[in-house]
Amino acid sequence: MNPAIVIPSYWARDDRPTNIGEIGTYDHVTPVDKPLPELETCLSSLDKVRGVLRTIILLVAPPDCEASARARVESICRMHPGLNPLIIGQAEGRVMRQSVNKAAPTLSAEAVSLRGYGAIRNMGLAVSAVLGHDVVVFLDDDEVVLDSDFLVKAIYGLGKLNRQGIPIQVKTGYFLDRDDSPYVDMSKLRWCDRPWSIGAEFNQLMERMLDGTRIKRASSLCGGCFAVSAQAYTRVPFDSFITRGEDLDYLFDLRMHGIDVWFDNEWCVRHLPPETPSRASRFQQDLYRWAYEQKKLEVCNRKIGLRPVTPNSLQPYPAPWLMPEFDKRASRTALRRALVGPERLEYLKLLTSGREQAHDWATRSSQRYLSLLTYWSRIMDDLWANEWVAKRIRAMGTARLTWHGAAKEKA
């Protein structure tokens, strides 16, 4: 196999939250002047991993600091030449976008780009296709790998048939927290957060997944410990229109195409997330996310040629979030957080009008993913092992990591 490790890395001038509800609002960003960025810690942990052929860094930054972020990322990558890093920033992204336009000239520019969680993942798939990688292993920059066999475990079983004769094309692992636990810590759960916590359902799922047989059919997906073969990713794109949770949504998309995700209970990473600048922003994104998921599944389940995905098939998690009780959870949480804690005014706005706006947006947007599906296979066919595009992005994404970058440092 020829795996590529793909790492989205989010940067900004500082870690102040952007306006809630905007595309391009992320759970966390790295300030360009941070002394020890998460990406450095992540790549340092990868140095010990056997068999790394290429590491693709998806550099996500607003225009006003893209140059500064690029300089920081190049500096970090120069310290890890053994990972064969390739940086995909705005310049390389434009080259990729031009190639996508040739295959699908009417497709929205949002579908494959460096803006929005799903579109960024699609950029990683597109670059991997151009370079001819038959497996993509996604890792987040706020994670560290735990042993030298990370890639060995990532590709274990891929391309094989399980005992029931079902092909394994997609795998997920899981993450450990700072205390080496795979479970959500329920002991510190505040009163205002209880209706919105996934802890009980997620912990029940993890108990089931970690017990017994190594490889099991999954109902959840960890986007920071995730391997997908070309047989799957050339057929199924990420949904570029979802506000967050694009990894779990990808499990739904794969199931629509008859592709299962398999959980490997011997493959994990450690997750070291920084503090979230705005919990209200994340809450609003989740309002839109779950409202959209419900409406999208309703639309796609009626589409001829796609397999239905029902909440009951996703027990114990994320099934409850795809059911009508989601609205009650949302209103109770917004009310409680409007009464106690920070950002009370934001939660009051979300309580009074935010939920209706989320449902309205979900109704308007629920068929957009079907448009992307129409073009995806054609895009992948055009991009696969495209030597001209590959030569361009390799020259742009790696030249400054070698002689050109060294020349700048000496100057």
Side-chain angles (χ1 to χ4, degrees), residues 10-16 29-33 60-62 64-65 69:
Y10 305 90
W11 294 75
R13 287 203 177 278
D14 52 50
D15 59 359
R16 288 179 297 179
V29 293
T30 302
V32 292
D33 59 354
V60 182
D64 67 341
C65 73

Side-chain angles (χ1 to χ4, degrees), residues 236-407:
V236 185
F238 283 85
D239 190 334
S240 56
F241 309 108
I242 196 166
T243 52
R244 65 186 301 267
E246 80 291 345
D247 47 359
L248 178 56
D249 177 82
Y250 194 54
L251 180 143
F252 306 159
D253 301 332
L254 289 162
R255 283 198 181 184
M256 291 176 195
H257 288 79
I259 301 173
D260 282 319
V261 176
W262 299 89
F263 182 93
D264 185 343
N265 65 19
E266 294 188 15
W267 185 36
C268 64
V269 295
R270 178 170 289 116
H271 191 207
L272 304 171
E275 290 294 324
T276 301
S278 170
R279 296 177 75 239
S281 175
R282 178 180 290 191
F283 179 73
Q284 186 190 44
Q285 286 179 312
D286 277 334
L287 280 179
Y288 278 71
R289 166 196 181 181
W290 293 115
Y292 176 72
E293 293 286 26
Q294 291 182 28
K295 195 64 181 179
K296 172 185 169 180
L297 289 181
E298 179 184 321
V299 169
C300 291
N301 285 347
R302 297 196 301 262
K303 179 71 173 177
I304 296 174
L306 295 179
R307 294 190 179 183
V309 178
T310 64
N312 284 333
S313 69
L314 299 163
Q315 294 284 5
Y317 175 82
W321 299 83
L322 300 169
M323 297 178 177
E325 67 184 73
F326 156 76
D327 281 329
K328 294 181 179 179
R329 280 185 159 187
S331 59
R332 288 200 300 267
T333 303
L335 175 59
R336 292 185 182 195
R337 291 182 181 178
L339 294 174
V340 299
E343 301 180 287
R344 297 182 188 180
L345 179 59
E346 285 80 1
Y347 284 114
L348 182 60
K349 293 176 181 177
L350 292 172
L351 174 65
T352 55
S353 61
R355 290 174 297 130
E356 290 183 5
Q357 293 172 357
H359 282 289
D360 289 344
W361 174 83
T363 300
R364 294 194 306 271
S365 305
S366 57
Q367 299 200 42
R368 298 176 73 185
Y369 182 67
L370 294 176
S371 174
L372 176 56
L373 284 181
T374 302
Y375 296 107
W376 189 250
S377 293
R378 186 193 312 171
I379 293 169
M380 290 289 103
D381 285 344
D382 276 19
L383 293 181
W384 186 262
N386 187 315
E387 294 183 6
W388 184 82
V389 179
K391 184 177 180 180
R392 286 197 67 188
I393 62 172
R394 279 198 300 264
M396 297 171 70
T398 61
R400 285 175 285 185
L401 302 178
T402 53
W403 65 269
H404 183 61

